[in-house]
Amino acid sequence: LHLSIRRQRQMCIRDRGVDILWLMPVQPIGVERRKGGLGSYYSIADYRATNPEFGTQDDLKAVIDSAHALGMKVILDWVANHTAHDHTWVSAHPDWYVRKADGTISLPIDRDGKETDWTDVAELDFSKPAMRAAMIADLQWWLTDMQVDGFRCDVAWGVPLDFWLESRAALLTVRPDLFLLAEEEGPAMHSAFNASYGWTLHHQLNRIAQGKEPVSSLDAYLAKGAAEYPANAYRMYFTSNHDENSWQGTEFERMGENHLASFVLSSTLVNSFPLLYTGQEARLNKRLRFFEKDTVSFADTTLVPFYRAIFAAKANTPALWNGADGGPQVKLVGDGGADLYAFTRSTGESHVVVAVNMGATATTYAYRDFAAPGTYRDIFTGRSVELGATGSLALPPHGYTIMVR
């Protein structure tokens, strides 16, 4: 969609309750060794330019300004690990790239130290101070001249952590409220990043949704996270993203009828930072082509109330906030179906009860020792629910509830 006609779409996104807009790479795509007809948007030919297929730089600035006017922040996808083969740096600064024994530029390296099949991009050498300085200058330009609010950092694991620490320190000098999201997970990332990907939980939810793993396995995941991660570490949880959609399938393929219950968990678990991927609220049920132009229809609005209710609860319920501002997560003790998972979160006068049924049959959970009984409101139906210190929760197959007071 051309940048100059994005305003209406932005208003729809804001109406869903979204408050951060993540723009995937908007720079020109490299032509040399391009994959497919369109190429990969992660093959960047010029860090400071705008892809003319999207519009002009003025169009892009108008999109960012419009998002800000609607109360949203904007983060830009930043590809630090590699550039296109026809990026200006390749000819102007050939020493800024990793070289193989035969002198040719290396493709990106995987976690095992081997070349990937990312044949359309060239691996940058982070041992070169001049390259690091140039990249930091480009990052600062996007913050100062284009007024983005931060970055989603692609392949963060492939770039030395000391670069992220160096760049964060430099970027904070021009944007004190900088926000950085790492496409990687691990406690160490939070020394440089505000948020990290929740890949482990995502894959675990896929298995749970498919009946390959019990929902009780979430206990071990959460205990490990609490022990290892900083208390204020935001974790971006999701049921879909551009990689999963294109290469592993839609949430409907991977999670079936449990896709909504999985999103409930992704949005309410402690320190959850939920992602709404392109078209999810419109039931996007196809794999978008990665290297070719593809389209998304937003005509189906039947899931909009679901996502809007979740994001409204996340924004307006302190118990669901993150870090020190939110409430700790406590499993709701009880007996019942093995496919049901329930927990509470409370801080001050704000209380939340979350329950999901990942099974194909209705289930009732007899709970006890609930520390915050009272009158709750189901965020999806609006109805009032009396919850005592002891009681029961009944959920239909693949059902879910979030109750707040």
Side-chain angles (χ1 to χ4, degrees):
L1 187 62
H2 196 279
L3 289 170
S4 63
I5 56 174
R6 289 293 294 271
R7 170 77 180 184
Q8 183 177 3
R9 182 78 201 112
Q10 282 183 318
M11 293 176 69
C12 290
I13 293 170
R14 188 68 184 100
D15 175 68
R16 276 51 168 164
V18 172
D19 52 16
I20 300 177
L21 187 62
W22 159 20
L23 298 179
M24 295 176 73
V26 296
Q27 297 98 331
I29 297 172
V31 175
E32 186 178 341
R33 307 190 200 179
R34 172 178 286 193
K35 289 191 173 188
L38 180 66
S40 168
Y41 25 89
Y42 291 97
S43 176
I44 291 177
D46 185 339
Y47 280 124
R48 295 199 191 190
T50 301
N51 189 334
E53 294 180 28
F54 298 154
T56 67
Q57 206 155 74
D58 287 341
D59 291 331
L60 177 57
K61 184 61 166 58
V63 166
I64 296 168
D65 291 344
S66 173
H68 288 158
L70 291 169
M72 291 188 287
K73 301 290 187 181
V74 178
I75 61 174
L76 176 67
D77 215 324
W78 192 261
V79 188
N81 184 70
H82 47 263
T83 72
H85 291 284
D86 44 0
H87 190 288
T88 55
W89 289 357
V90 174
S91 57
H93 304 285
D95 59 314
W96 287 4
Y97 290 84
V98 174
R99 298 279 172 172
K100 296 188 289 187
D102 63 4
T104 59
I105 294 178
S106 174
L107 303 179
I109 305 300
D110 66 18
R111 295 176 190 267
D112 297 320
K114 300 177 180 178
E115 274 193 309
T116 64
D117 63 352
W118 304 352
T119 54
D120 56 338
V121 287
E123 179 94 341
L124 284 163
D125 185 350
F126 280 85
S127 72
K128 306 295 184 178
M131 186 279 289
R132 293 165 70 120
M135 182 170 292
I136 289 172
D138 285 346
L139 285 160
Q140 289 179 321
W141 180 84
W142 279 97
L143 294 173
T144 58
D145 289 47
M146 297 300 288
Q147 290 292 300
V148 300
D149 301 287
F151 302 95
R152 178 266 188 190
C153 298
D154 184 62
V155 193
W157 53 267
V159 174
L161 182 59
D162 62 37
F163 172 76
W164 295 126
L165 291 167
E166 177 188 358
S167 59
R168 181 177 183 85
L171 299 180
L172 284 171
T173 65
V174 299
R175 180 58 63 87
D177 60 347
L178 173 74
F179 186 85
L180 294 180
L181 166 65
E183 191 207 9
E184 171 64 322
E185 61 184 339
M189 302 306 293
H190 290 271
S191 60
F193 293 90
N194 303 87
S196 62
Y197 264 52
W199 282 116
T200 298
L201 178 67
H202 174 69
H203 296 142
Q204 189 168 346
L205 287 176
N206 279 337
R207 295 191 297 271
I208 292 170
Q210 295 166 15
K212 297 177 180 178
E213 189 172 313
V215 69
S216 59
S217 66
L218 290 173
D219 292 342
Y221 171 82
L222 293 166
K224 188 173 187 292
E228 295 180 355
Y229 279 81
N232 63 344
Y234 285 28
R235 309 301 316 285
M236 193 182 80
Y237 293 146
F238 48 89
T239 56
S240 187
N241 63 37
H242 64 283
D243 285 313
E244 291 297 289
N245 171 277
S246 292
W247 307 118
Q248 306 302 326
T250 69
E251 63 268 35
F252 304 99
E253 292 178 76
R254 291 176 284 98
M255 295 174 165
E257 293 182 88
N258 282 321
H259 72 99
L260 294 180
S262 296
F263 196 90
V264 166
L265 291 174
S266 297
S267 304
T268 57
L269 293 175
V270 67
N271 282 350
S272 57
F273 178 60
L275 168 68
L276 180 68
Y277 174 59
T278 297
Q280 277 195 276
E281 80 277 25
R283 291 187 182 271
L284 173 67
N285 197 10
K286 69 173 182 177
R287 301 188 184 198
L288 294 176
R289 294 173 291 175
F290 206 92
F291 303 118
E292 307 292 342
K293 183 176 179 179
D294 212 337
T295 58
V296 177
S297 170
F298 291 93
D300 189 330
T301 60
T302 53
L303 284 181
V304 168
F306 169 83
Y307 290 108
R308 183 188 287 132
I310 286 183
F311 294 142
K314 184 76 173 173
N316 300 320
T317 310
L320 288 176
W321 295 352
N322 294 340
D325 295 321
Q329 185 173 323
V330 179
K331 192 169 183 180
L332 190 59
V333 179
D335 303 294
D339 295 317
L340 189 142
Y341 196 81
F343 61 89
T344 67
R345 295 182 62 185
S346 295
T347 183
E349 297 301 312
S350 176
H351 308 279
V352 179
V353 176
V354 178
V356 298
N357 177 16
M358 305 294 275
T361 58
T363 187
T364 299
Y365 188 71
Y367 68 85
R368 59 185 181 275
D369 303 327
F370 179 35
T375 303
Y376 283 72
R377 178 181 62 86
D378 185 305
I379 71 164
F380 299 110
T381 66
R383 69 184 181 91
S384 295
V385 181
E386 290 294 330
L387 295 179
T390 300
S392 63
L393 299 173
L395 288 178
H398 316 292
Y400 48 85
T401 185
I402 300 174
M403 293 175 283
V404 302
R405 79 168 178 90

